[in-house]
Amino acid sequence: MLSSAATTTDRGHIHLEGDHYSGSARRVDTSRQAERLIEAISRSAKNIVVSYGPALKYLTVWEPPISREQNAPAWRVVDDPMDASARYWQQVKIAIKRQDLAQAAVNSRLSQLKMAAAEEGVIWSTESEEFLRQFLRQFRPTERPGIVLPDSGELSATWRGARGEAVTLQFKRSGEIGYVMLGAVTPDAAARYRSAGVAPRQEVLTAHLRAVGLLGVVTA
Amino acid sequence: MKGDRIQDTDHVLRHLKSTWVDPETRTVALEAFIWAPKPDAIDDIGVSVGWREFFVDNPPEKQVDLFRQSCGLQLKASARFGELNCGRIRAAARPVLQVDVVHDPYPGTDCHSAITGFPAVADDNARTAAALIAECVEALHPATLPPATK
């Protein structure tokens, strides 16, 4: 069962605590103070969503299980940090539920594919499976991607966006990621963004996806 | 006739192994549309497909069934046939590769056709073209039918 609580201390701090996240709202008096605080927090935590009051009175920080890409912009101006935290917690709960469902769907699909691989005589790569799982653990998508198994035994996953974008990634035994990226569908097919290749490391691939505006397709 | 260009309004059927298809998300492996010629197959000109309208004067479902019976493949119950429109195949791949769909019959399989224009060794362009063609799959048909429906 998921739970969440928010308590206000006598010094104006708000402490936020949930099963999957924790955070705090802190009173700040100047924009410089807020900037320093944000900088310090940004260095120490991943996936931070920050919001602050209209007069920079409160700065609230959560370390959420939802990736930053889904919550862009990372900064949010809120009138009431308590209300914002409650609404944010609702989003988190929905996202966690969808992420868990997507994860269960991935497990089920991989079981199906393992059986199909045995039937077709395709050698299953446990390295590729672990690489895909690791990738999904990091991005925690809320929809499961399409997953297929080419004859190489290295799993391939495809994510689609609302405007026809498609990102296909192949998780190779070597630790490399083969990719084909197709941008949003355009009236002129030649103008549609497209790119294919092999990324030596996941960080390189992520940077590429971010640079061409397709990271959100994978993390959605 | 061998080498005839199949018109844009017609359709082809591509045999898809169960590992190549994710029916729930309608994802088809792009590898299904990458040409991998066997070294000993001298008359292999492209990705093998069946020309559905070859069985003219039959309704579409019957055309698919006639292809099932004549394709010469050992069909498994878990396999599918992906159906694609020839005009869409050409248009989709055009920005990266000049592919065509041509009639390529051989004895016993008169409807056999091929998607041509792929390099013998797949490069990034070929993979992109294959991904674009995989997006054109309009329908997935079971490769075999239960006995009662035959």
Side-chain angles (χ1 to χ4, degrees), chain A residues 109 116-117 119-120 144 146-151 158 160 166 180 192 194 196-197, chain B residues 17-22 24-25 27 29 31 76 78 95-96 124 128 131-132 135:
Chain A
R109 175 63 187 153
E119 189 188 331
E120 295 289 351
R144 92 154 166 87
I147 305 175
V148 293
L149 184 70
D151 293 351
T158 299
R160 290 198 181 81
V180 177
R192 186 181 186 190
R194 52 189 182 273
Chain B
K17 296 192 278 191
S18 59
T19 46
W20 286 357
V21 189
D22 183 344
E24 203 180 315
T25 59
T27 302
E31 284 75 8
K76 292 182 178 167
S78 54
V96 277
D124 289 346
T128 306
L132 289 162
E135 285 195 324

PDB file of all heavy atoms in Angstrom, chain A residues 109 116-117 119-120 144 146-151 158 160 166 180 192 194 196-197, chain B residues 17-22 24-25 27 29 31 76 78 95-96 124 128 131-132 135:
ATOM      1  N   ARG A 109       5.800 -10.365 -21.552  1.00  0.00           N
ATOM      2  CA  ARG A 109       6.236 -10.407 -22.961  1.00  0.00           C
ATOM      3  C   ARG A 109       7.558 -11.178 -23.095  1.00  0.00           C
ATOM      4  O   ARG A 109       7.727 -11.970 -24.030  1.00  0.00           O
ATOM      5  CB  ARG A 109       6.390  -8.974 -23.487  1.00  0.00           C
ATOM      6  CG  ARG A 109       6.956  -8.872 -24.895  1.00  0.00           C
ATOM      7  CD  ARG A 109       6.055  -9.507 -25.927  1.00  0.00           C
ATOM      8  NE  ARG A 109       6.691  -9.546 -27.235  1.00  0.00           N
ATOM      9  CZ  ARG A 109       6.417 -10.449 -28.175  1.00  0.00           C
ATOM     10  NH1 ARG A 109       5.499 -11.378 -27.957  1.00  0.00           N
ATOM     11  NH2 ARG A 109       7.029 -10.426 -29.333  1.00  0.00           N
ATOM     12  N   ALA A 116       8.831 -18.597 -27.567  1.00  0.00           N
ATOM     13  CA  ALA A 116       8.862 -18.501 -29.031  1.00  0.00           C
ATOM     14  C   ALA A 116      10.279 -18.755 -29.552  1.00  0.00           C
ATOM     15  O   ALA A 116      10.468 -19.409 -30.578  1.00  0.00           O
ATOM     16  CB  ALA A 116       8.363 -17.130 -29.476  1.00  0.00           C
ATOM     17  N   ALA A 117      11.276 -18.242 -28.816  1.00  0.00           N
ATOM     18  CA  ALA A 117      12.673 -18.428 -29.230  1.00  0.00           C
ATOM     19  C   ALA A 117      13.032 -19.910 -29.224  1.00  0.00           C
ATOM     20  O   ALA A 117      13.696 -20.408 -30.147  1.00  0.00           O
ATOM     21  CB  ALA A 117      13.599 -17.652 -28.298  1.00  0.00           C
ATOM     22  N   GLU A 119      10.993 -22.385 -29.618  1.00  0.00           N
ATOM     23  CA  GLU A 119      10.283 -23.021 -30.728  1.00  0.00           C
ATOM     24  C   GLU A 119      10.988 -22.763 -32.068  1.00  0.00           C
ATOM     25  O   GLU A 119      11.057 -23.629 -32.929  1.00  0.00           O
ATOM     26  CB  GLU A 119       8.857 -22.470 -30.769  1.00  0.00           C
ATOM     27  CG  GLU A 119       7.935 -23.197 -31.733  1.00  0.00           C
ATOM     28  CD  GLU A 119       6.578 -22.496 -31.891  1.00  0.00           C
ATOM     29  OE1 GLU A 119       6.139 -21.828 -30.940  1.00  0.00           O
ATOM     30  OE2 GLU A 119       5.994 -22.625 -32.972  1.00  0.00           O
ATOM     31  N   GLU A 120      11.517 -21.539 -32.208  1.00  0.00           N
ATOM     32  CA  GLU A 120      12.154 -21.160 -33.484  1.00  0.00           C
ATOM     33  C   GLU A 120      13.637 -21.526 -33.519  1.00  0.00           C
ATOM     34  O   GLU A 120      14.298 -21.309 -34.540  1.00  0.00           O
ATOM     35  CB  GLU A 120      12.020 -19.643 -33.713  1.00  0.00           C
ATOM     36  CG  GLU A 120      10.603 -19.151 -33.898  1.00  0.00           C
ATOM     37  CD  GLU A 120       9.990 -19.561 -35.236  1.00  0.00           C
ATOM     38  OE1 GLU A 120      10.726 -20.082 -36.090  1.00  0.00           O
ATOM     39  OE2 GLU A 120       8.772 -19.392 -35.396  1.00  0.00           O
ATOM     40  N   ARG A 144       4.575  -0.258 -21.962  1.00  0.00           N
ATOM     41  CA  ARG A 144       5.640  -1.175 -22.351  1.00  0.00           C
ATOM     42  C   ARG A 144       5.930  -0.985 -23.844  1.00  0.00           C
ATOM     43  O   ARG A 144       5.022  -0.766 -24.635  1.00  0.00           O
ATOM     44  CB  ARG A 144       5.263  -2.618 -22.028  1.00  0.00           C
ATOM     45  CG  ARG A 144       4.593  -3.407 -23.118  1.00  0.00           C
ATOM     46  CD  ARG A 144       4.859  -4.891 -22.918  1.00  0.00           C
ATOM     47  NE  ARG A 144       3.992  -5.719 -23.731  1.00  0.00           N
ATOM     48  CZ  ARG A 144       4.269  -6.063 -24.989  1.00  0.00           C
ATOM     49  NH1 ARG A 144       5.341  -5.597 -25.587  1.00  0.00           N
ATOM     50  NH2 ARG A 144       3.439  -6.856 -25.650  1.00  0.00           N
ATOM     51  N   GLY A 146       7.142  -2.203 -27.675  1.00  0.00           N
ATOM     52  CA  GLY A 146       7.022  -3.429 -28.459  1.00  0.00           C
ATOM     53  C   GLY A 146       8.353  -4.155 -28.363  1.00  0.00           C
ATOM     54  O   GLY A 146       9.407  -3.525 -28.518  1.00  0.00           O
ATOM     55  N   ILE A 147       8.337  -5.453 -28.084  1.00  0.00           N
ATOM     56  CA  ILE A 147       9.605  -6.186 -27.942  1.00  0.00           C
ATOM     57  C   ILE A 147       9.596  -7.375 -28.886  1.00  0.00           C
ATOM     58  O   ILE A 147       8.653  -8.176 -28.879  1.00  0.00           O
ATOM     59  CB  ILE A 147       9.828  -6.654 -26.484  1.00  0.00           C
ATOM     60  CG1 ILE A 147       9.734  -5.464 -25.517  1.00  0.00           C
ATOM     61  CG2 ILE A 147      11.187  -7.340 -26.331  1.00  0.00           C
ATOM     62  CD1 ILE A 147       9.823  -5.839 -24.047  1.00  0.00           C
ATOM     63  N   VAL A 148      10.632  -7.477 -29.685  1.00  0.00           N
ATOM     64  CA  VAL A 148      10.767  -8.597 -30.623  1.00  0.00           C
ATOM     65  C   VAL A 148      12.176  -9.173 -30.508  1.00  0.00           C
ATOM     66  O   VAL A 148      13.054  -8.572 -29.882  1.00  0.00           O
ATOM     67  CB  VAL A 148      10.496  -8.149 -32.083  1.00  0.00           C
ATOM     68  CG1 VAL A 148       9.038  -7.753 -32.275  1.00  0.00           C
ATOM     69  CG2 VAL A 148      11.415  -7.021 -32.498  1.00  0.00           C
ATOM     70  N   LEU A 149      12.353 -10.336 -31.126  1.00  0.00           N
ATOM     71  CA  LEU A 149      13.649 -11.016 -31.035  1.00  0.00           C
ATOM     72  C   LEU A 149      14.166 -11.355 -32.431  1.00  0.00           C
ATOM     73  O   LEU A 149      13.728 -12.327 -33.045  1.00  0.00           O
ATOM     74  CB  LEU A 149      13.502 -12.303 -30.214  1.00  0.00           C
ATOM     75  CG  LEU A 149      14.797 -13.068 -29.960  1.00  0.00           C
ATOM     76  CD1 LEU A 149      15.700 -12.298 -29.001  1.00  0.00           C
ATOM     77  CD2 LEU A 149      14.497 -14.453 -29.395  1.00  0.00           C
ATOM     78  N   PRO A 150      15.077 -10.535 -32.940  1.00  0.00           N
ATOM     79  CA  PRO A 150      15.706 -10.875 -34.223  1.00  0.00           C
ATOM     80  C   PRO A 150      16.534 -12.160 -34.091  1.00  0.00           C
ATOM     81  O   PRO A 150      16.806 -12.628 -32.979  1.00  0.00           O
ATOM     82  CB  PRO A 150      16.597  -9.671 -34.516  1.00  0.00           C
ATOM     83  CG  PRO A 150      16.054  -8.567 -33.663  1.00  0.00           C
ATOM     84  CD  PRO A 150      15.518  -9.244 -32.438  1.00  0.00           C
ATOM     85  N   ASP A 151      16.937 -12.717 -35.221  1.00  0.00           N
ATOM     86  CA  ASP A 151      17.622 -14.012 -35.210  1.00  0.00           C
ATOM     87  C   ASP A 151      18.971 -13.988 -34.486  1.00  0.00           C
ATOM     88  O   ASP A 151      19.504 -15.036 -34.143  1.00  0.00           O
ATOM     89  CB  ASP A 151      17.813 -14.513 -36.649  1.00  0.00           C
ATOM     90  CG  ASP A 151      16.470 -14.845 -37.288  1.00  0.00           C
ATOM     91  OD1 ASP A 151      15.453 -14.847 -36.561  1.00  0.00           O
ATOM     92  OD2 ASP A 151      16.429 -15.082 -38.501  1.00  0.00           O
ATOM     93  N   THR A 158      10.782  -1.289 -29.358  1.00  0.00           N
ATOM     94  CA  THR A 158      10.338  -0.124 -30.133  1.00  0.00           C
ATOM     95  C   THR A 158       9.339   0.692 -29.327  1.00  0.00           C
ATOM     96  O   THR A 158       8.366   0.159 -28.806  1.00  0.00           O
ATOM     97  CB  THR A 158       9.692  -0.566 -31.459  1.00  0.00           C
ATOM     98  OG1 THR A 158      10.654  -1.270 -32.242  1.00  0.00           O
ATOM     99  CG2 THR A 158       9.195   0.636 -32.272  1.00  0.00           C
ATOM    100  N   ARG A 160       6.841   4.164 -29.507  1.00  0.00           N
ATOM    101  CA  ARG A 160       6.208   5.060 -30.477  1.00  0.00           C
ATOM    102  C   ARG A 160       5.646   6.286 -29.770  1.00  0.00           C
ATOM    103  O   ARG A 160       5.112   6.193 -28.669  1.00  0.00           O
ATOM    104  CB  ARG A 160       5.078   4.330 -31.194  1.00  0.00           C
ATOM    105  CG  ARG A 160       5.595   3.259 -32.119  1.00  0.00           C
ATOM    106  CD  ARG A 160       4.558   2.829 -33.138  1.00  0.00           C
ATOM    107  NE  ARG A 160       5.133   1.793 -33.974  1.00  0.00           N
ATOM    108  CZ  ARG A 160       5.204   0.515 -33.605  1.00  0.00           C
ATOM    109  NH1 ARG A 160       4.722   0.142 -32.448  1.00  0.00           N
ATOM    110  NH2 ARG A 160       5.753  -0.384 -34.402  1.00  0.00           N
ATOM    111  N   ALA A 166       9.160   6.992 -33.833  1.00  0.00           N
ATOM    112  CA  ALA A 166       9.440   5.589 -33.499  1.00  0.00           C
ATOM    113  C   ALA A 166      10.925   5.459 -33.181  1.00  0.00           C
ATOM    114  O   ALA A 166      11.776   5.911 -33.954  1.00  0.00           O
ATOM    115  CB  ALA A 166       9.064   4.676 -34.656  1.00  0.00           C
ATOM    116  N   VAL A 180      17.547   2.762 -34.448  1.00  0.00           N
ATOM    117  CA  VAL A 180      16.959   3.444 -35.600  1.00  0.00           C
ATOM    118  C   VAL A 180      15.956   4.423 -35.001  1.00  0.00           C
ATOM    119  O   VAL A 180      15.045   4.033 -34.282  1.00  0.00           O
ATOM    120  CB  VAL A 180      16.243   2.480 -36.569  1.00  0.00           C
ATOM    121  CG1 VAL A 180      15.600   3.268 -37.713  1.00  0.00           C
ATOM    122  CG2 VAL A 180      17.204   1.454 -37.146  1.00  0.00           C
ATOM    123  N   ARG A 192      11.270  14.034 -42.736  1.00  0.00           N
ATOM    124  CA  ARG A 192      11.148  13.366 -41.434  1.00  0.00           C
ATOM    125  C   ARG A 192      12.534  13.036 -40.884  1.00  0.00           C
ATOM    126  O   ARG A 192      13.375  12.500 -41.623  1.00  0.00           O
ATOM    127  CB  ARG A 192      10.328  12.084 -41.626  1.00  0.00           C
ATOM    128  CG  ARG A 192       9.988  11.364 -40.344  1.00  0.00           C
ATOM    129  CD  ARG A 192       9.207  10.111 -40.649  1.00  0.00           C
ATOM    130  NE  ARG A 192       8.750   9.459 -39.430  1.00  0.00           N
ATOM    131  CZ  ARG A 192       8.217   8.251 -39.392  1.00  0.00           C
ATOM    132  NH1 ARG A 192       8.039   7.563 -40.517  1.00  0.00           N
ATOM    133  NH2 ARG A 192       7.834   7.723 -38.251  1.00  0.00           N
ATOM    134  N   ARG A 194      15.494  11.084 -39.336  1.00  0.00           N
ATOM    135  CA  ARG A 194      15.816   9.659 -39.254  1.00  0.00           C
ATOM    136  C   ARG A 194      17.312   9.503 -39.000  1.00  0.00           C
ATOM    137  O   ARG A 194      18.125  10.303 -39.466  1.00  0.00           O
ATOM    138  CB  ARG A 194      15.392   8.925 -40.528  1.00  0.00           C
ATOM    139  CG  ARG A 194      15.915   9.555 -41.773  1.00  0.00           C
ATOM    140  CD  ARG A 194      15.334   8.964 -43.043  1.00  0.00           C
ATOM    141  NE  ARG A 194      15.944   9.630 -44.169  1.00  0.00           N
ATOM    142  CZ  ARG A 194      15.483  10.765 -44.703  1.00  0.00           C
ATOM    143  NH1 ARG A 194      14.388  11.321 -44.229  1.00  0.00           N
ATOM    144  NH2 ARG A 194      16.119  11.342 -45.692  1.00  0.00           N
ATOM    145  N   ALA A 196      20.268   6.165 -37.915  1.00  0.00           N
ATOM    146  CA  ALA A 196      20.523   4.777 -37.541  1.00  0.00           C
ATOM    147  C   ALA A 196      22.001   4.618 -37.238  1.00  0.00           C
ATOM    148  O   ALA A 196      22.835   5.337 -37.783  1.00  0.00           O
ATOM    149  CB  ALA A 196      20.121   3.829 -38.671  1.00  0.00           C
ATOM    150  N   GLY A 197      22.316   3.700 -36.364  1.00  0.00           N
ATOM    151  CA  GLY A 197      23.712   3.462 -36.032  1.00  0.00           C
ATOM    152  C   GLY A 197      23.836   2.595 -34.806  1.00  0.00           C
ATOM    153  O   GLY A 197      22.880   1.927 -34.396  1.00  0.00           O
TER     154      GLY A 197
ATOM    155  N   LYS B  17       8.043 -14.817 -38.561  1.00  0.00           N
ATOM    156  CA  LYS B  17       8.182 -15.781 -37.463  1.00  0.00           C
ATOM    157  C   LYS B  17       7.612 -15.173 -36.188  1.00  0.00           C
ATOM    158  O   LYS B  17       7.588 -13.941 -36.053  1.00  0.00           O
ATOM    159  CB  LYS B  17       9.662 -16.089 -37.224  1.00  0.00           C
ATOM    160  CG  LYS B  17      10.332 -16.760 -38.386  1.00  0.00           C
ATOM    161  CD  LYS B  17      11.675 -17.295 -37.968  1.00  0.00           C
ATOM    162  CE  LYS B  17      12.750 -16.240 -37.975  1.00  0.00           C
ATOM    163  NZ  LYS B  17      14.094 -16.798 -37.818  1.00  0.00           N
ATOM    164  N   SER B  18       7.237 -16.028 -35.256  1.00  0.00           N
ATOM    165  CA  SER B  18       6.605 -15.515 -34.034  1.00  0.00           C
ATOM    166  C   SER B  18       7.530 -14.584 -33.256  1.00  0.00           C
ATOM    167  O   SER B  18       7.071 -13.648 -32.596  1.00  0.00           O
ATOM    168  CB  SER B  18       6.170 -16.669 -33.146  1.00  0.00           C
ATOM    169  OG  SER B  18       7.283 -17.471 -32.811  1.00  0.00           O
ATOM    170  N   THR B  19       8.840 -14.805 -33.350  1.00  0.00           N
ATOM    171  CA  THR B  19       9.783 -13.956 -32.608  1.00  0.00           C
ATOM    172  C   THR B  19       9.903 -12.556 -33.225  1.00  0.00           C
ATOM    173  O   THR B  19      10.437 -11.646 -32.595  1.00  0.00           O
ATOM    174  CB  THR B  19      11.185 -14.604 -32.581  1.00  0.00           C
ATOM    175  OG1 THR B  19      11.495 -15.059 -33.899  1.00  0.00           O
ATOM    176  CG2 THR B  19      11.227 -15.771 -31.613  1.00  0.00           C
ATOM    177  N   TRP B  20       9.430 -12.417 -34.457  1.00  0.00           N
ATOM    178  CA  TRP B  20       9.549 -11.130 -35.160  1.00  0.00           C
ATOM    179  C   TRP B  20       8.354 -10.214 -34.936  1.00  0.00           C
ATOM    180  O   TRP B  20       8.360  -9.075 -35.422  1.00  0.00           O
ATOM    181  CB  TRP B  20       9.703 -11.366 -36.668  1.00  0.00           C
ATOM    182  CG  TRP B  20      11.033 -11.873 -37.090  1.00  0.00           C
ATOM    183  CD1 TRP B  20      12.128 -12.093 -36.304  1.00  0.00           C
ATOM    184  CD2 TRP B  20      11.422 -12.217 -38.422  1.00  0.00           C
ATOM    185  NE1 TRP B  20      13.170 -12.561 -37.064  1.00  0.00           N
ATOM    186  CE2 TRP B  20      12.768 -12.646 -38.370  1.00  0.00           C
ATOM    187  CE3 TRP B  20      10.782 -12.215 -39.649  1.00  0.00           C
ATOM    188  CZ2 TRP B  20      13.475 -13.057 -39.499  1.00  0.00           C
ATOM    189  CZ3 TRP B  20      11.480 -12.620 -40.784  1.00  0.00           C
ATOM    190  CH2 TRP B  20      12.815 -13.040 -40.704  1.00  0.00           C
ATOM    191  N   VAL B  21       7.326 -10.717 -34.304  1.00  0.00           N
ATOM    192  CA  VAL B  21       6.099  -9.933 -34.163  1.00  0.00           C
ATOM    193  C   VAL B  21       5.698  -9.810 -32.700  1.00  0.00           C
ATOM    194  O   VAL B  21       5.715 -10.792 -31.970  1.00  0.00           O
ATOM    195  CB  VAL B  21       4.918 -10.608 -34.906  1.00  0.00           C
ATOM    196  CG1 VAL B  21       3.719  -9.679 -34.949  1.00  0.00           C
ATOM    197  CG2 VAL B  21       5.316 -11.014 -36.300  1.00  0.00           C
ATOM    198  N   ASP B  22       5.330  -8.603 -32.319  1.00  0.00           N
ATOM    199  CA  ASP B  22       4.712  -8.383 -31.005  1.00  0.00           C
ATOM    200  C   ASP B  22       3.270  -7.976 -31.307  1.00  0.00           C
ATOM    201  O   ASP B  22       2.998  -6.801 -31.568  1.00  0.00           O
ATOM    202  CB  ASP B  22       5.476  -7.270 -30.269  1.00  0.00           C
ATOM    203  CG  ASP B  22       4.939  -7.035 -28.867  1.00  0.00           C
ATOM    204  OD1 ASP B  22       3.820  -7.501 -28.566  1.00  0.00           O
ATOM    205  OD2 ASP B  22       5.644  -6.375 -28.079  1.00  0.00           O
ATOM    206  N   GLU B  24       0.586  -7.554 -29.631  1.00  0.00           N
ATOM    207  CA  GLU B  24      -0.115  -6.623 -28.743  1.00  0.00           C
ATOM    208  C   GLU B  24       0.187  -5.167 -29.090  1.00  0.00           C
ATOM    209  O   GLU B  24      -0.688  -4.310 -29.044  1.00  0.00           O
ATOM    210  CB  GLU B  24       0.318  -6.919 -27.308  1.00  0.00           C
ATOM    211  CG  GLU B  24      -0.679  -6.465 -26.284  1.00  0.00           C
ATOM    212  CD  GLU B  24      -0.189  -6.788 -24.885  1.00  0.00           C
ATOM    213  OE1 GLU B  24       0.295  -7.915 -24.659  1.00  0.00           O
ATOM    214  OE2 GLU B  24      -0.267  -5.903 -24.045  1.00  0.00           O
ATOM    215  N   THR B  25       1.431  -4.881 -29.420  1.00  0.00           N
ATOM    216  CA  THR B  25       1.806  -3.502 -29.767  1.00  0.00           C
ATOM    217  C   THR B  25       1.906  -3.327 -31.288  1.00  0.00           C
ATOM    218  O   THR B  25       2.260  -2.252 -31.746  1.00  0.00           O
ATOM    219  CB  THR B  25       3.171  -3.129 -29.150  1.00  0.00           C
ATOM    220  OG1 THR B  25       4.156  -4.044 -29.650  1.00  0.00           O
ATOM    221  CG2 THR B  25       3.141  -3.218 -27.631  1.00  0.00           C
ATOM    222  N   THR B  27       4.095  -4.451 -33.257  1.00  0.00           N
ATOM    223  CA  THR B  27       5.485  -4.165 -33.637  1.00  0.00           C
ATOM    224  C   THR B  27       6.023  -5.320 -34.465  1.00  0.00           C
ATOM    225  O   THR B  27       5.849  -6.480 -34.089  1.00  0.00           O
ATOM    226  CB  THR B  27       6.357  -4.003 -32.367  1.00  0.00           C
ATOM    227  OG1 THR B  27       5.814  -2.951 -31.581  1.00  0.00           O
ATOM    228  CG2 THR B  27       7.804  -3.681 -32.713  1.00  0.00           C
ATOM    229  N   ALA B  29       9.575  -6.724 -36.263  1.00  0.00           N
ATOM    230  CA  ALA B  29      11.035  -6.543 -36.269  1.00  0.00           C
ATOM    231  C   ALA B  29      11.473  -5.976 -37.616  1.00  0.00           C
ATOM    232  O   ALA B  29      11.062  -6.478 -38.672  1.00  0.00           O
ATOM    233  CB  ALA B  29      11.720  -7.883 -36.020  1.00  0.00           C
ATOM    234  N   GLU B  31      14.175  -6.389 -38.874  1.00  0.00           N
ATOM    235  CA  GLU B  31      14.983  -7.440 -39.517  1.00  0.00           C
ATOM    236  C   GLU B  31      14.151  -8.250 -40.515  1.00  0.00           C
ATOM    237  O   GLU B  31      14.699  -8.888 -41.416  1.00  0.00           O
ATOM    238  CB  GLU B  31      15.586  -8.373 -38.466  1.00  0.00           C
ATOM    239  CG  GLU B  31      16.776  -7.778 -37.713  1.00  0.00           C
ATOM    240  CD  GLU B  31      16.384  -6.723 -36.678  1.00  0.00           C
ATOM    241  OE1 GLU B  31      15.173  -6.549 -36.431  1.00  0.00           O
ATOM    242  OE2 GLU B  31      17.291  -6.072 -36.141  1.00  0.00           O
ATOM    243  N   LYS B  76       4.139 -22.412 -39.063  1.00  0.00           N
ATOM    244  CA  LYS B  76       3.834 -22.735 -37.669  1.00  0.00           C
ATOM    245  C   LYS B  76       2.613 -21.926 -37.239  1.00  0.00           C
ATOM    246  O   LYS B  76       2.398 -20.804 -37.730  1.00  0.00           O
ATOM    247  CB  LYS B  76       5.020 -22.389 -36.779  1.00  0.00           C
ATOM    248  CG  LYS B  76       6.208 -23.291 -37.047  1.00  0.00           C
ATOM    249  CD  LYS B  76       7.358 -22.956 -36.131  1.00  0.00           C
ATOM    250  CE  LYS B  76       8.515 -23.910 -36.405  1.00  0.00           C
ATOM    251  NZ  LYS B  76       9.753 -23.484 -35.786  1.00  0.00           N
ATOM    252  N   SER B  78       2.123 -20.255 -34.712  1.00  0.00           N
ATOM    253  CA  SER B  78       2.432 -18.980 -34.056  1.00  0.00           C
ATOM    254  C   SER B  78       2.923 -17.911 -35.045  1.00  0.00           C
ATOM    255  O   SER B  78       3.069 -16.745 -34.665  1.00  0.00           O
ATOM    256  CB  SER B  78       3.516 -19.209 -32.997  1.00  0.00           C
ATOM    257  OG  SER B  78       4.632 -19.846 -33.586  1.00  0.00           O
ATOM    258  N   PRO B  95      12.929   8.075 -49.230  1.00  0.00           N
ATOM    259  CA  PRO B  95      13.929   9.052 -48.769  1.00  0.00           C
ATOM    260  C   PRO B  95      15.314   8.444 -48.494  1.00  0.00           C
ATOM    261  O   PRO B  95      16.311   9.165 -48.499  1.00  0.00           O
ATOM    262  CB  PRO B  95      13.332   9.594 -47.463  1.00  0.00           C
ATOM    263  CG  PRO B  95      11.869   9.343 -47.575  1.00  0.00           C
ATOM    264  CD  PRO B  95      11.744   8.071 -48.357  1.00  0.00           C
ATOM    265  N   VAL B  96      15.383   7.134 -48.275  1.00  0.00           N
ATOM    266  CA  VAL B  96      16.695   6.547 -47.967  1.00  0.00           C
ATOM    267  C   VAL B  96      17.159   5.504 -48.979  1.00  0.00           C
ATOM    268  O   VAL B  96      18.364   5.308 -49.159  1.00  0.00           O
ATOM    269  CB  VAL B  96      16.730   5.901 -46.556  1.00  0.00           C
ATOM    270  CG1 VAL B  96      16.994   6.928 -45.503  1.00  0.00           C
ATOM    271  CG2 VAL B  96      15.498   5.104 -46.248  1.00  0.00           C
ATOM    272  N   ASP B 124      23.399   1.219 -42.469  1.00  0.00           N
ATOM    273  CA  ASP B 124      22.446   2.031 -41.696  1.00  0.00           C
ATOM    274  C   ASP B 124      21.250   2.467 -42.543  1.00  0.00           C
ATOM    275  O   ASP B 124      20.125   2.538 -42.051  1.00  0.00           O
ATOM    276  CB  ASP B 124      23.153   3.260 -41.107  1.00  0.00           C
ATOM    277  CG  ASP B 124      24.107   2.885 -39.975  1.00  0.00           C
ATOM    278  OD1 ASP B 124      24.008   1.744 -39.485  1.00  0.00           O
ATOM    279  OD2 ASP B 124      24.938   3.729 -39.592  1.00  0.00           O
ATOM    280  N   THR B 128      17.364   1.675 -41.764  1.00  0.00           N
ATOM    281  CA  THR B 128      16.349   2.733 -41.684  1.00  0.00           C
ATOM    282  C   THR B 128      15.191   2.418 -42.630  1.00  0.00           C
ATOM    283  O   THR B 128      14.013   2.539 -42.254  1.00  0.00           O
ATOM    284  CB  THR B 128      16.975   4.101 -42.040  1.00  0.00           C
ATOM    285  OG1 THR B 128      18.107   4.314 -41.200  1.00  0.00           O
ATOM    286  CG2 THR B 128      15.985   5.225 -41.840  1.00  0.00           C
ATOM    287  N   ALA B 131      13.076  -0.252 -41.215  1.00  0.00           N
ATOM    288  CA  ALA B 131      12.213   0.248 -40.121  1.00  0.00           C
ATOM    289  C   ALA B 131      11.015   1.003 -40.703  1.00  0.00           C
ATOM    290  O   ALA B 131       9.889   0.886 -40.204  1.00  0.00           O
ATOM    291  CB  ALA B 131      13.016   1.154 -39.190  1.00  0.00           C
ATOM    292  N   LEU B 132      11.271   1.771 -41.760  1.00  0.00           N
ATOM    293  CA  LEU B 132      10.179   2.527 -42.393  1.00  0.00           C
ATOM    294  C   LEU B 132       9.166   1.571 -43.044  1.00  0.00           C
ATOM    295  O   LEU B 132       7.957   1.795 -42.972  1.00  0.00           O
ATOM    296  CB  LEU B 132      10.754   3.497 -43.439  1.00  0.00           C
ATOM    297  CG  LEU B 132      11.524   4.696 -42.862  1.00  0.00           C
ATOM    298  CD1 LEU B 132      12.403   5.344 -43.928  1.00  0.00           C
ATOM    299  CD2 LEU B 132      10.561   5.737 -42.285  1.00  0.00           C
ATOM    300  N   GLU B 135       6.911  -0.219 -40.547  1.00  0.00           N
ATOM    301  CA  GLU B 135       5.790   0.625 -40.098  1.00  0.00           C
ATOM    302  C   GLU B 135       4.588   0.536 -41.038  1.00  0.00           C
ATOM    303  O   GLU B 135       3.504   0.984 -40.685  1.00  0.00           O
ATOM    304  CB  GLU B 135       6.229   2.092 -40.055  1.00  0.00           C
ATOM    305  CG  GLU B 135       7.113   2.450 -38.905  1.00  0.00           C
ATOM    306  CD  GLU B 135       7.187   3.961 -38.743  1.00  0.00           C
ATOM    307  OE1 GLU B 135       7.172   4.673 -39.766  1.00  0.00           O
ATOM    308  OE2 GLU B 135       7.240   4.421 -37.608  1.00  0.00           O
TER     309      GLU B 135
END
